[in-house]
Amino acid sequence: MHFTGTIWRPPYEAESLLLEVTAGCSWHRCKFCTLYNDLPFPFRMSPLEDIKADLTEAQMLANTPFGKLGEQLLGRPVQIWRRAYLTGGNPFVLRCERLLDIARLLRTYFPQCTTIGTFARVTDISAKSDKELQQLKEAGYDGLTIGVETGDAAALTFMDKGYGPEEILAQCRRLDKVGISYYFMYLTGISGAGKGVDGAAVSAELFNRLHPKMIGTSMLTIFPDSKLYREIQAGNWVEPGEQEKLREVRTLVDKLTIPTAFAALGASNAVSFYGKLPLEKERLLFELDRAIQLYSEEDLQAYRHQLPHL
């Protein structure tokens, strides 16, 4: 398979066919991000020949005894593969025609594959017309993972995300209109020291006007090769403490009123949890309150500093 560098995927795509169609991120400017720093280029689109070769290899695997591996691990019958996940920083940036070509290829090799997921930036959505979004929906694109990070306008500007809360609202409403579901990734700590609770409150206000299938939270972890590290060294930004990050997550959960799943499952979260809102809100708040009381700032800092990568 043609995989380049570290392959990132959301936890909920564990059973999906991973297919590299891009490598790196087309934006590559967010100050906190180091995910693609190991690549010799910022962004690259995979040749269709490579994609066809990978689909051929995956098809061969599905037709061997190894194709039953998922069934053995899960303890139940599985159909390989009913969903594909396109890897790379934001494959949804590709032109509509290219994405449709990839969908047709997937159907050729895996007729049972009914849906296609991908990471997407808000600007990837705005670059597509309503007609194109409808075509992509009909081709199977659904369950986009969008790193909105926050609804805090000042934080989005400082981190150089390339869009603000208004764009998040407008573009996700366009997805709602055509029926493309989406997941939000929220980055705890992005507002800076002393501002996390307020950042969570404005984020909840924004999210409550939309329909994310899930809101997953990651905790900001700063590495020396990030632009944000240099901003801290220059005295332009102050990182919040770990206890403040937990209080920020608690505020976000408390103020969300929409029906959605809420999860902290990635390695950046010292405390992991998952629940459905609003049904399990009280349990989630209890678990967060318990974590705030149980773990000291020193314990949480020790966890943060031992992370080699996200």
Side-chain angles (χ1 to χ4, degrees), residues 1-4 19-21 44-57 98 105 109:
M1 301 289 282
H2 293 85
F3 288 125
T4 308
L19 184 67
E20 180 174 286
V21 300
R44 187 184 70 190
M45 182 172 67
S46 299
L48 279 178
E49 292 72 20
D50 287 357
I51 297 173
K52 290 177 183 178
D54 289 347
L55 286 169
T56 299
E57 184 175 344
R98 182 74 165 197
L105 278 174
Y109 287 84

Side-chain angles (χ1 to χ4, degrees), residues 274-293:
Y274 172 88
K276 296 287 185 68
L277 298 176
L279 295 178
E280 297 179 281
K281 176 181 285 192
E282 292 306 316
R283 176 182 64 80
L284 291 175
L285 292 175
F286 173 81
E287 291 182 9
L288 282 161
D289 286 336
R290 184 174 180 274
I292 291 169
Q293 295 173 2

Side-chain angles (χ1 to χ4, degrees), residues 22 39 72 101 141 171 174 205 215 256 263 265 272 275 302 308:
T22 63
L39 300 183
Q72 295 169 13
D101 286 342
Y141 285 90
Q171 299 310 318
R174 294 180 66 222
E205 182 180 354
I215 299 171
L256 285 170
L265 300 175
S272 298

Side-chain angles (χ1 to χ4, degrees), residues 27-34 37 158-160 222-234 236-237:
W27 182 248
H28 201 62
R29 288 167 56 177
C30 300
K31 292 182 180 178
F32 55 82
C33 184
T34 60
N37 284 7
F158 180 80
M159 295 296 176
D160 201 6
I222 301 166
F223 296 100
D225 56 339
S226 68
K227 296 177 184 177
L228 185 55
Y229 181 84
R230 296 193 290 274
E231 292 280 15
I232 293 171
Q233 296 299 106
N236 298 328
W237 194 83

